[in-house]
Amino acid sequence: MLNCSTRSVGQRLFDAGVPHDRTASGVSRVFRERPLSLVRAGALTDSLTAMLTRRPDAVDAGQITLLGEAHLCWAQGCYRAATVLIGVASEESLGTMLDTLANYPAQDTTPPARKDWDRVKNPSNAISARFEGGMSILRRLAERLRQESRRQQPKGSPPPWAALWFQSVEALQAIGEAVRCARNKAAHDATATFRRSDVALLLASVPTLLEQIADMKAFLSDAAGRLDPVKPPVV
């Protein structure tokens, strides 16, 4: 199970590289420097609609509707409802990414990797269990790729792409856990309270999460059959 009790939404997003800055300029940087003001009605829907044109693999019309309604809930002070809608919209993309990973042909069948693969490949498992297993697999893959790229990298050259991909995996996990934990809290803890600023950070972070998931699906689909089994790195 995800450990949702020890870190706040802000702390988790800060781990992912999201600015720990609740000002309008800080939140806007989550959209990769594209201007955003959550105060303006329809701003999130407009940004997601632009994403649909630019990255149809990252978001669909249903998710735009859900996240647009989450923005409306946030504007009206209904922070619990907004958080649940954010979680529902995000889980659709997380599920398809995990399905793509489950179909990856080069799978390590040695313990403990086999346990992670079994968690990912079982569609009846909770999304949190599948996500946790999937991130364990992706971290092993990222570390193996990073070590191999460093071995082949000439001295003094820029950081290898695999090092950047490793950072992307860490960011994906941090943002994904922030959304999942907040959604679970909203759905199952009747005594929980939600701050306007924390929900604003979640709203602003979801488009980045959706693009990261799409990038990961594209990588796994393109790499399928060409990478060795995802085994622990050789130290």
Side-chain angles (χ1 to χ4, degrees):
M1 297 296 291
L2 296 179
N3 181 2
C4 296
S5 61
T6 59
R7 300 184 68 76
S8 69
V9 167
Q11 288 171 322
R12 290 178 184 278
L13 295 180
F14 182 71
D15 291 344
V18 174
H20 207 165
D21 175 358
R22 295 177 172 83
T23 65
S25 60
V27 172
S28 73
R29 284 198 294 276
V30 180
F31 276 86
R32 300 180 179 178
E33 306 300 335
R34 291 192 293 276
L36 169 73
S37 174
L38 290 176
V39 175
R40 181 175 68 81
L44 184 58
T45 296
D46 290 346
S47 293
L48 292 169
T49 301
M51 182 193 294
L52 179 61
T53 301
R54 187 180 75 257
R55 292 291 307 270
D57 59 329
V59 67
D60 62 33
Q63 289 171 307
I64 293 175
T65 298
L66 286 171
L67 292 168
E69 291 183 359
H71 188 190
L72 289 174
C73 288
W74 173 83
Q76 295 297 319
C78 301
Y79 305 133
R80 181 186 297 272
T83 302
V84 171
L85 287 168
I86 292 168
V88 172
S90 303
E91 284 179 7
E92 179 182 342
S93 289
L94 286 172
T96 59
M97 182 196 76
L98 293 169
D99 291 342
T100 301
L101 179 60
N103 291 321
Y104 184 74
Q107 300 178 11
D108 181 12
T109 57
T110 60
R114 182 171 56 221
K115 181 179 178 182
D116 289 329
W117 284 107
D118 288 343
R119 293 167 80 183
V120 170
K121 293 165 70 174
N122 187 347
S124 65
N125 282 342
I127 188 71
S128 57
R130 296 187 72 205
F131 180 71
E132 187 176 9
M135 294 313 303
S136 294
I137 293 168
L138 291 174
R139 284 197 305 273
R140 283 195 293 270
L141 174 59
E143 183 61 32
R144 187 174 66 81
L145 290 174
R146 183 169 65 168
Q147 290 191 0
E148 179 63 19
S149 64
R150 281 181 172 175
R151 186 182 67 81
Q152 298 180 12
Q153 179 190 17
K155 247 186 174 180
S157 55
W161 68 269
L164 301 176
W165 195 80
F166 183 86
Q167 294 170 10
S168 178
V169 170
E170 294 298 307
L172 173 60
Q173 178 167 14
I175 299 179
E177 284 187 355
V179 171
R180 283 289 309 150
C181 289
R183 190 264 190 195
N184 286 347
K185 183 179 177 182
H188 303 297
D189 185 353
T191 65
T193 58
F194 299 86
R195 296 190 301 180
R196 181 177 179 84
S197 56
D198 280 345
V199 181
L201 278 173
L202 285 177
L203 277 170
S205 300
V206 167
T208 295
L209 173 63
L210 296 178
E211 290 202 60
Q212 287 178 331
I213 290 171
D215 290 341
M216 194 65 66
K217 286 192 298 184
F219 176 88
L220 291 169
S221 298
D222 182 61
R226 295 193 290 106
L227 293 175
D228 294 332
V230 185
K231 297 181 178 178
V234 178
V235 179

